[in-house]
Amino acid sequence: MQITLNNQTLDEEAIQLIQAIVEDNTAFVGLSGGKDSTVVEDLVKRSTVKAEYHYHRTGLDAPETIKFIRETYPNCVFDIPDRTFWQGAMSNGFPLRRQRWCCAELKECFGKGRIIVDGVRCGESNQRKARKCFEPAINDPATFFLHPIFKWSTSDVWQYIDERHLPHNPLYYSNGKRVPSRRIGCILCPFTTQQECHRQMVLFPGFVKLYRYYAEQYIRVRIDRGTPLTQKTGDEYFEWWLSMHEGGKRNIGITNLYGENILVLI
């Protein structure tokens, strides 16, 4: 592993950070089934601090991810939100890149008042570069986030996984070849590129049917409210929504626990 300015390897520095911050508390460790949380789980385990492991079930989870979490982390708690993604979509519409009500409702409602340990890395987005490896939640001063691999690169993450021989999500592979940059998360997440969306639509046709069904329901909900959309059918709305995945509107909305912009109603 890479040597830091403190003359430690990246994993040694991360373990020391976890121990120093968590101390005698019980860490709330968020697992996503992705490569970053795979590394974080192993680092927390090596740190020997007390910890609970949680997976936030959104209802848009790939079957392979659910299977991987259950088999690899049998003590992981599956957190179920108060309302489903589809129920939220009937109120807010389908989420967009900068209108992510889904993160707040389905994931960030858990772990309040705790030290939440996750796999956030500064290289993932410009917004995250401005954050710190240990920080309070913006709207909840009793909740803190610890990002032990905050400064790690994607190659650092994969190097650690390979050196430690850690099991990882099979969705990172296509035709037996690893795709290191692939993003593991909710199916057709707004942060998924259109190319990746098309790949997922082939892999998960059942989810495509669900999206199209609820797109039609949302069109009807908006008509009943007296606020119809420009799109006249569910298929039109679904295709428009997919077209927004590589850009879209850059409106200002409410912020999540990280202080990132997440919501403007469509």
Side-chain angles (χ1 to χ4, degrees), residues 137-177:
I138 297 297
N139 300 316
D140 182 4
T143 302
F144 290 86
F145 292 99
L146 173 59
H147 318 303
I149 61 171
F150 187 66
K151 299 178 183 178
W152 291 33
S153 67
T154 298
S155 60
D156 291 329
V157 170
W158 282 115
Q159 180 183 351
Y160 184 86
I161 288 173
D162 291 338
E163 289 180 354
R164 296 280 297 169
H165 305 290
L166 299 180
H168 47 283
N169 198 317
L171 288 176
Y172 280 113
Y173 293 82
S174 290
N175 300 319
K177 184 177 180 181

Side-chain angles (χ1 to χ4, degrees), residues 75-194:
N75 295 324
C76 179
V77 176
F78 277 58
D79 295 324
I80 309 298
D82 291 336
R83 66 174 182 171
T84 68
F85 171 84
W86 307 113
Q87 290 170 326
M90 293 304 96
S91 298
N92 302 319
F94 289 0
L96 300 175
R97 290 169 66 94
R98 294 196 174 251
Q99 301 168 344
R100 301 188 315 277
W101 59 265
C102 49
C103 295
E105 287 202 20
L106 305 179
K107 297 181 179 181
E108 294 163 6
C109 53
F110 300 105
K112 291 188 175 181
R114 306 282 298 278
I115 298 174
I116 300 174
V117 186
D118 61 25
V120 166
R121 292 186 294 115
C122 65
E124 294 176 302
S125 71
N126 288 329
Q127 280 186 317
R128 292 185 173 180
K129 286 180 182 177
R131 290 165 54 184
K132 300 177 181 178
C133 62
F134 181 60
E135 57 188 354
I138 297 297
N139 300 316
D140 182 4
T143 302
F144 290 86
F145 292 99
L146 173 59
H147 318 303
I149 61 171
F150 187 66
K151 299 178 183 178
W152 291 33
S153 67
T154 298
S155 60
D156 291 329
V157 170
W158 282 115
Q159 180 183 351
Y160 184 86
I161 288 173
D162 291 338
E163 289 180 354
R164 296 280 297 169
H165 305 290
L166 299 180
H168 47 283
N169 198 317
L171 288 176
Y172 280 113
Y173 293 82
S174 290
N175 300 319
K177 184 177 180 181
R178 180 189 287 173
V179 185
S181 60
R182 180 167 291 164
R183 185 179 184 278
I184 302 297
C186 296
I187 294 172
L188 300 187
C189 169
F191 276 96
T192 305
T193 64
Q194 290 186 18

